[in-house]
């Protein structure tokens, strides 16, 4: 049995009142609830305020480059399928710089959990519009207002038949913990887009704004119906549904590659000279 | 070493899609099995069908290592082959062509391919005729056809053998004047036939590589296709990434978890990987990238050759960190240096590169079965019972090397960071730690230097003329030096198969003992000569360069040398 204490507590580089604190708590709690030991978990993050989160708990960590958490996580999971691999980073990191990896990871359906701290802004670089910033969002870089339409990650993931698509809110800790737990348990790619206020740079989507606009999906809601799920994923800002929006049982990358070699990839395998001779024989 | 004119060059020319590569590969196999040496040059256009492509085989009883400019036997599958290569035919050369084509003024053998081979068996008819003209053993050709087609439908094999017999009978009767190859002995040890890219993939496999990631780009793709072909047998995971940025990051993720990883690309894809190279250096993760060069800038000439990316590979990635760069000179070195690159990358916990090019990538040779350097398993420290808790991934040590563990393989937590980090792997802005970590990473240069491969020197000591070259230029330069030699003119070659890091003591005395020193490179600006100057202060003013997309040949080098010598 693992406990919250196993995951430790650290001093952070976040602003007081930041949504990251409750997300971190929910992540730790979810790991305990899933009964995972710190050494069985690998966090892969990018760069940004959100991407620092793995430094603030006990686990294996690869804190890579801005936008590149998913490819590193993919390589890691292929190399060692026994690890629980969690990619964790911001909205800018995952939907902007790493947008192509986001699409590819959904298609590939490798067994990775992606946690996106979605504060709708580039926090670390001090407030420029991110892919999820609303149209008209004003910043020093967008003085006339953000001219672009926001990216809707849960709708895109639903259209692409991602295995598990959820939206959480940093202000709903218990609910968020449960979503993260389900995402980890899901065999295949899972997305939890986590709505989060940025106390320093997002004056529009504040804590109380989210509280007013977020609605939990009801128990009667059926997340297995893709068309229905898409309607929910595309609901406008006045009613932001949170919960498991869509899920399916699409075979994961590993299941499709079953019989191939992934189990043998990592570890201290002795070199097999006989097999190598077999390979060389192709060239006589 | 091959003597002047003791080799023969066969050119098979035609449109893409006509099967000229199949003819070429089969003829190569027949030559290798008969005991001859071969050097292949493939010249093709960046398209699927049509255009004009060539497959050159230079073959000899003695070892050959460079292509030749002229042709002895031209198998022309289209008219363009004759207009392109007719003027480069040797005096006793023969053009073999379809009866419907025009041989112009050349000595020619018109073959009724349609009658002999119907539709679809042209390659067997052409192989048979070429084999007979060269004087290869008929039953050896017959066996090669059986070996090649026995896995297919029995009826198809029989049809192929029928075409073989028909073509053989026809060419015996036609009996054109053409001097075949001097006899070789097929008795020697069995040899492998493979090209540079295949040898790189096999070298990686021999090193114990467990994963591979790529995004297709000519001329690197066949490295990964070869790797994937054997992946299941060898227990290797692989994935075609969404782009080169993903490929290099996947490799780093896999390597971090204990599955050494191969990445292959060409210049443009490599450009996208630059940030990942820096990441491997900062996180101290082993990473090997094979870069198969083609002419740039930008998309350049996708299917031609150049040695134009040396400085780019040397300087790729932001920040300061050590790296090793290997530049194989032949197919054997593609194998051995790829294995070496993995070994050094694992030992130094950082990036290493194998720099090849389209010429070597596609150049088939006959080689003795590779001796695997029997290295320890690449992964050496997955379990370390005496590791203290908390484990420090970046522990400061005298040689800059920290004990490496893999995540999930013990109760220790492995923490790696692309930010500047503390010994335990956490992000830091403590500037005194920063300074120590920079020094730690740079200390690994000493290991790279202690394991370096010095340049190879061939030829006469105290040479009047010394050629300096690197990578795939080796064979052409060594043959040029050989041909230039006279009783009164001593010549030699200094070939670098590792171009970074350099230890001037390895080669300065040799260079200083020479009369005229000439650098030979497949690029326009003499990139390696520039590195040598920077590292040693030595200025190589005499340079032979080639940058028209074609490989260096002995004749090209010799005629360029004549001009240098006149100006001298
Ligand atoms: C290649 C690259 N480009 C730009 C940056 C600068 N950068 C660091 S974090 C960041 C944006 C972070 O936004 P987000 O991912 O939403 O994280 P947040 O700080 O909001 O949590 C940018 C642009 C970088 N580190 N690397
Ligand atoms: Mg953000």
């Amino acid at each position: 049995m693992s406990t919250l204490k196993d995951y430790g507590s650290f001093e952070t580089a976040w602003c007081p009142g930041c949504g990251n604190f409750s997300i971190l708590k929910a992540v730790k709690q979810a790991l305990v609830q899933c009964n995972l030991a710190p050494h069985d978990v690998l966090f892969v993050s990018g760069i940004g305020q959100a991407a620092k989160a793995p430094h603030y708990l006990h686990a294996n960590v690869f804190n890579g480059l801005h936008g590149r958490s998913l490819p590193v996580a993919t390589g890691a999971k292929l190399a060692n399928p026994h690890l629980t691999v969690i990619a964790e980073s911001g909205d800018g990191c995952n939907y902007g710089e790493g947008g192509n990896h986001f699409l590819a990871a959904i298609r590939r359906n490798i067994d990775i959990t992606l946690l996106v701290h979605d504060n709708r802004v580039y926090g670390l670089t001090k407030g420029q519009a991110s892919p999820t910033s609303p149209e008209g969002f004003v910043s020093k870089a967008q003085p006339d207002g953000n001219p672009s339409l926001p990216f809707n990650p849960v709708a895109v993931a639903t259209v692409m038949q991602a295995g598990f698509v959820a939206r959480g809110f940093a202000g709903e800790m218990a609910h968020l913990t449960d979503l993260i737990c389900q995402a980890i348990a899901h065999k295949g790619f899972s997305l939890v887009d986590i709505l989060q206020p940025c106390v320093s740079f997002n004056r529009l989507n504040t804590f109380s704004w989210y509280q007013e606009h977020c609605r939990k999906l009801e128990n009667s809601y059926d997340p297995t119906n893709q068309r229905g799920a898409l309607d929910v994923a595309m609901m406008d800002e006045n009613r932001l549904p949170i919960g498991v929006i869509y899920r399916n049982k699409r075979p994961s990358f590993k299941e499709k590659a079953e019989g191939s070699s992934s189990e043998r990839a990592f570890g201290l395998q002795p070199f097999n000279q006989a097999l190598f001779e077999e390979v060389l024989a192709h060239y006589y | 070493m091959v003597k002047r004119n003791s080799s023969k060059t066969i050119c098979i020319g035609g449109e893409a899609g006509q099967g000229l590569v199949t003819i070429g590969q089969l003829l190569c196999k027949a030559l290798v099995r008969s005991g001859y040496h071969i050097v292949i040059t493939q010249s093709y256009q960046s398209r699927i069908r049509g255009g004009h492509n060539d497959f050159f085989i230079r073959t000899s009883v003695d070892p050959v290592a460079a292509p030749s400019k002229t042709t002895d036997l031209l198998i022309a599958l289209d008219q363009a082959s004759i207009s392109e290569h007719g003027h480069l035919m040797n005096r006793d050369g023969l053009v073999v062509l379809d009866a419907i084509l025009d041989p112009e003024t050349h000595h020619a053998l018109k073959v009724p391919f349609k009658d002999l081979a119907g539709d679809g068996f042209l390659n067997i008819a052409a192989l048979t005729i070429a084999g007979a003209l060269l004087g290869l053993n008929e039953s050896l050709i017959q066996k090669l056809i059986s070996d090649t087609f026995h896995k297919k439908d029995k009826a198809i094999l029989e049809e192929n053998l029928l075409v073989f017999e028909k073509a053989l009978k026809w060419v015996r009767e036609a009996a054109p004047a053409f001097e075949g190859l001097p006899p070789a002995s097929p008795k020697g040890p069995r040899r492998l036939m493979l090209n540079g890219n295949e040898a790189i993939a096999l070298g990686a496999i021999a090193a114990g590589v467990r994963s591979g990631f790529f995004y297709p780009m000519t001329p690197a793709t066949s490295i990964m296709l070869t790797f994937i072909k054997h992946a299941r047998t060898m227990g290797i995971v692989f994935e075609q990434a969404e782009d080169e940025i993903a490929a290099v990051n996947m490799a780093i993720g896999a390597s971090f978890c204990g599955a050494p990883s191969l990445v292959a690309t060409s210049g443009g894809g490599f450009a996208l990987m630059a940030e990942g190279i820096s990441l491997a250096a900062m996180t101290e993760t082993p990473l090997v990238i094979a870069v198969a060069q083609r002419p740039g800038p930008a998309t350049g000439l996708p299917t031609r050759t150049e040695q134009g990316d040396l400085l780019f590979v040397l300087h790729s990635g932001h920040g300061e960190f050590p790296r090793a760069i290997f530049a194989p000179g032949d197919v054997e070195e593609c194998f051995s240096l790829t294995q070496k690159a993995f070994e050094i990358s694992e030992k130094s916990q950082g990036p290493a590169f194998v720099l090849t090019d389209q010429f070597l990538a596609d150049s088939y040779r006959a080689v003795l079965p590779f001796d695997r350097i029997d290295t320890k398993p690449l992964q050496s420290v997955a379990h370390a019972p005496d590791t203290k808790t908390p484990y420090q991934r970046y522990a400061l040590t005298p040689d800059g090397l920290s004990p490496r563990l893999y995540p999930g393989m013990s109760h220790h937590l492995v923490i790696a960071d692309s930010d500047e980090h503390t010994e335990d792997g956490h992000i830091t802005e403590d500037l005194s730690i920063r300074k120590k970590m920079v020094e730690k990473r740079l200390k690994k240069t000493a290991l790279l230097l202690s394991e370096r491969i010095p340049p190879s020197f061939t030829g006469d000591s105290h040479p009047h003329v010394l050629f300096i070259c690197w990578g795939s230029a080796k064979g052409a330069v060594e043959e040029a030096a050989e041909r230039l030699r006279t009783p009164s003119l001593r010549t030699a070659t200094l070939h670098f198969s590792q171009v970074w890091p350099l230890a001037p003591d390895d080669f300065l005395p040799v260079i200083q003992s020479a009369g005229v020193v000439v650098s030979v490179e497949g690029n326009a600006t003499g990139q390696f000569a520039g590195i040598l100057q920077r590292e040693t202060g030595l200025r190589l003013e005499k340079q032979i360069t080639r940058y028209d997309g074609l490989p260096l040949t002995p004749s090209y080098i010799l005629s360029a040398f004549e001009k240098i010598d006149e100006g001298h």
Side-chain angles (χ1 to χ4, degrees):
Chain A
M1 282 304 271
S2 63
T3 65
L4 262 187
K5 245 179 91 193
D6 295 337
Y7 284 95
S9 65
F10 295 75
E11 201 184 303
T12 77
W14 292 330
C15 314
C18 176
N20 283 337
F21 290 104
S22 33
I23 300 176
L24 175 62
K25 245 190 218 155
V27 169
K28 286 197 223 171
Q29 230 142 38
L31 293 171
V32 172
Q33 253 178 52
C34 294
N35 197 24
L36 287 163
H39 65 265
D40 290 329
V41 182
L42 170 64
F43 279 90
V44 182
S45 69
I47 296 297
Q49 285 295 76
K52 290 175 184 168
H55 284 285
Y56 309 140
L57 50 69
H58 281 306
N60 295 294
V61 179
F62 190 98
N63 183 179
L65 297 168
H66 184 52
R68 315 301 169 204
S69 58
L70 282 173
V72 171
T74 300
K77 184 71 186 181
L78 281 173
N80 186 349
H82 302 298
L83 280 170
T84 295
V85 179
I86 301 173
E88 184 175 20
S89 225
D91 47 319
C93 208
N94 285 300
Y95 306 142
E97 193 84 320
N100 195 22
H101 311 313
F102 176 68
L103 299 180
I106 294 173
R107 292 177 47 230
R108 204 172 269 128
N109 201 25
I110 198 158
D111 188 12
I112 290 170
T113 298
L114 173 62
L115 306 179
V116 183
H117 298 217
D118 188 353
N119 57 7
R120 303 183 166 192
V121 73
Y122 286 175
L124 184 57
T125 48
K126 298 200 161 57
Q128 304 83 7
S130 90
T132 50
S133 299
E135 193 180 6
F137 179 89
V138 176
S139 81
K140 283 188 189 161
Q142 287 79 25
D144 304 324
N146 176 20
S148 302
L149 282 179
F151 179 71
N152 182 337
V154 290
V156 169
T158 302
V159 166
M160 293 180 70
Q161 300 179 56
F164 182 97
V165 184
R167 187 194 275 140
F169 168 42
E172 290 282 354
M173 276 263 301
H175 181 255
L176 177 60
T177 302
D178 178 56
L179 292 179
I180 296 172
C181 247
Q182 290 190 56
I184 291 172
H186 176 79
K187 293 273 164 261
F189 180 79
S190 32
L191 165 70
V192 187
D193 183 70
I194 307 166
L195 301 173
Q196 167 210 15
C198 173
V199 292
S200 298
F201 299 113
N202 188 338
R203 310 268 163 211
L204 293 170
N205 310 110
T206 59
F207 195 79
S208 54
W209 185 91
Y210 280 121
Q211 262 175 335
E212 259 167 55
H213 292 80
C214 287
R215 306 270 159 83
K216 280 186 208 157
L217 286 165
E218 288 171 14
N219 285 342
S220 59
Y221 172 69
D222 173 15
T224 63
N225 177 334
Q226 193 192 13
R227 298 275 166 159
L230 194 55
D231 285 340
V232 169
M234 290 178 69
M235 279 183 182
D236 66 37
E237 295 276 276
N238 292 317
R239 194 190 182 289
L240 276 171
I242 57 172
V244 180
I245 291 174
Y246 175 62
R247 67 187 313 163
N248 64 36
K249 292 196 170 133
R250 196 151 71 85
S252 70
F253 184 93
K254 178 160 172 277
E255 289 161 283
K256 279 183 278 181
E258 207 56 70
S260 88
S261 40
S262 62
E263 292 290 336
R264 288 185 282 153
F266 76 103
L268 296 169
Q269 313 286 344
F271 188 81
N272 190 325
Q273 185 66 34
L275 289 179
F276 184 62
E277 300 289 337
E278 209 178 283
V279 165
L280 281 190
H282 281 84
Y283 299 89
Y284 283 112
Chain B
M1 180 55 67
V2 65
K3 284 170 214 76
R4 199 183 313 226
N5 297 333
S6 77
S7 71
K8 282 215 183 307
T9 293
I10 303 122
C11 169
I12 303 151
E15 286 180 16
Q18 279 190 310
L20 68 133
V21 174
T22 311
I23 302 172
Q25 285 173 338
L26 287 171
L27 190 54
C28 285
K29 266 226 155 123
L31 287 162
V32 172
R33 287 185 180 185
S34 306
Y36 294 97
H37 291 272
I38 56 167
V39 173
I40 281 30
T41 311
Q42 294 192 53
S43 157
Y44 48 101
Q45 293 186 341
S46 185
R47 55 196 282 177
I48 311 299
R49 283 184 185 273
H52 180 75
N53 296 351
D54 301 300
F55 191 105
F56 292 92
I57 307 168
R58 185 173 179 214
T59 183
S60 163
V61 177
D62 306 311
V64 266
S68 129
K69 198 169 141 191
T70 54
T71 298
D72 300 284
L73 181 62
L74 173 62
I75 317 278
L77 303 184
D78 64 355
Q79 196 64 44
S81 305
I82 296 154
S83 44
E84 292 260 332
H85 304 295
H87 66 287
L88 289 174
M89 293 296 294
N90 283 327
R91 213 177 305 123
D92 304 324
L94 175 68
V95 178
V96 173
L97 75 175
D98 194 307
I100 58 168
L101 298 177
D102 173 13
E104 296 173 6
T105 56
H106 303 287
H107 172 39
L109 176 67
K110 285 186 145 202
V111 184
F113 276 119
K114 192 118 194 128
D115 300 342
L116 292 176
D119 291 321
F121 295 94
L122 180 138
N123 46 17
I124 295 300
L127 167 74
T128 308
I129 290 167
L133 290 171
L134 291 166
L136 302 185
N137 182 304
E138 289 151 12
S139 54
L140 189 143
I141 304 269
Q142 192 176 24
K143 178 159 185 315
L144 176 65
I145 295 169
S146 301
D147 289 353
T148 311
F149 295 100
H150 82 277
K151 281 200 198 107
K152 299 222 170 114
D153 201 315
K154 215 167 168 193
I156 293 179
L157 172 59
E158 267 158 30
E159 270 189 88
N160 275 299
L161 290 174
L162 220 68
V163 172
F164 162 75
E165 271 157 32
K166 247 172 135 179
L168 192 62
K169 185 157 171 273
W170 182 86
V171 71
R172 274 193 197 136
E173 278 163 18
F178 180 73
E179 196 191 326
L181 288 162
S185 163
K187 290 265 150 53
R190 243 174 130 202
R191 292 174 304 159
L192 307 169
M193 185 189 109
L194 73 179
N195 63 32
N197 274 2
E198 289 171 330
I200 288 176
L202 295 185
I205 292 171
V209 168
R210 296 275 166 194
S211 62
F213 302 95
F214 77 114
Y215 186 89
M217 187 168 187
T218 306
T221 310
S222 61
I223 296 174
M224 295 314 291
L225 297 186
T226 304
F227 190 73
I228 289 168
K229 183 164 122 187
H230 305 302
R232 197 177 263 259
T233 311
M234 298 306 296
I236 288 167
V237 290
F238 58 86
E239 174 66 349
Q240 178 179 314
E242 54 273 25
D243 53 37
E244 286 86 350
I245 300 174
V248 72
N249 279 281
M250 285 176 184
I252 289 169
S255 174
F256 173 66
C257 286
S261 196
L262 173 67
V263 176
T265 188
S266 188
F270 186 73
L272 292 180
M273 294 182 181
E275 200 188 10
I277 292 155
S278 187
L279 176 67
M282 187 56 146
T283 57
E284 305 200 38
T285 310
L287 172 70
V288 174
I289 305 183
V291 183
Q293 300 163 99
R294 67 193 217 187
T299 311
L301 291 169
T303 60
R304 309 293 164 161
T305 202
E306 194 160 282
Q307 294 186 293
D309 291 333
L310 171 61
L311 288 176
F312 180 41
V313 171
L314 177 60
H315 298 296
S316 60
H318 53 295
E320 297 176 294
F321 55 88
R323 73 190 74 205
I325 308 175
F326 299 94
D330 52 37
V331 168
E332 285 93 338
E333 286 184 356
C334 283
F335 179 86
S336 61
L337 294 179
T338 302
Q339 215 192 321
K340 174 87 184 170
F342 275 100
E343 211 189 314
I344 201 77
S345 167
E346 289 285 325
K347 276 192 190 162
S348 66
Q349 307 181 17
F353 304 90
V354 179
L355 196 50
T356 179
D357 51 43
Q358 181 268 330
F359 162 62
L360 187 54
D362 292 332
S363 187
Y364 287 94
R365 315 271 171 102
V367 301
L368 291 171
F370 298 113
D371 270 336
R372 245 184 92 241
I373 317 166
D374 203 16
T375 50
K376 291 184 246 70
L378 283 181
Q379 310 113 316
S380 50
V381 283
H383 303 285
D386 53 345
T387 305
K388 285 197 210 71
T389 306
Y391 163 64
Q392 299 204 309
R393 172 67 192 90
Y394 302 109
L396 294 170
T397 59
D399 57 6
L401 295 163
S402 319
R404 192 169 161 234
L405 299 184
Y406 308 127
M409 308 280 258
S410 70
H411 66 278
H412 293 292
L413 301 180
V414 186
I415 297 152
D417 197 355
S418 73
D419 298 279
E420 192 55 275
H421 40 253
T422 51
E423 287 180 88
D424 61 5
H426 286 298
I427 179 170
T428 186
E429 296 195 35
D430 180 327
L431 303 187
S432 66
I433 294 178
R434 155 70 183 173
K435 194 157 171 278
K436 286 192 186 122
M437 285 294 166
V438 171
E439 287 156 7
K440 168 201 195 310
R441 289 186 289 268
L442 291 177
K443 271 182 196 164
K444 297 193 278 185
T445 302
L447 169 71
L448 299 185
L449 275 171
S450 73
E451 301 241 348
R452 73 185 180 277
I453 297 173
S456 65
F457 179 87
T458 47
D460 308 321
S461 59
H462 298 277
H464 296 113
V465 179
L466 174 68
F467 291 112
I468 295 184
C469 63
W470 62 278
S472 74
K474 181 182 181 183
V477 176
E478 286 183 353
E479 188 178 326
E482 189 90 356
R483 285 210 222 158
L484 190 64
R485 174 174 305 137
T486 64
S488 60
L489 188 76
R490 292 193 301 275
T491 64
T493 301
L494 188 63
H495 173 259
F496 288 76
S497 62
Q498 180 166 4
V499 289
W500 194 262
L502 294 174
D505 288 349
D506 289 344
F507 51 83
L508 266 188
V510 172
I511 297 179
Q512 280 155 353
S513 78
V516 182
V517 181
V518 184
S519 85
V520 185
E521 296 186 55
N523 58 48
T525 54
Q527 297 187 15
F528 187 66
I531 294 174
L532 277 186
Q533 181 174 354
R534 194 183 76 185
E535 294 303 304
T536 64
L538 197 87
R539 225 177 116 149
L540 300 182
E541 279 172 37
K542 299 192 172 57
Q543 297 185 0
I544 294 173
T545 57
R546 181 163 205 176
Y547 46 88
D548 58 0
L550 297 175
L552 287 157
T553 63
S555 318
Y556 180 95
I557 295 165
L558 289 173
S559 59
F561 180 76
E562 247 169 61
K563 284 188 202 117
I564 288 182
D565 217 27
E566 278 163 16
H568 187 52

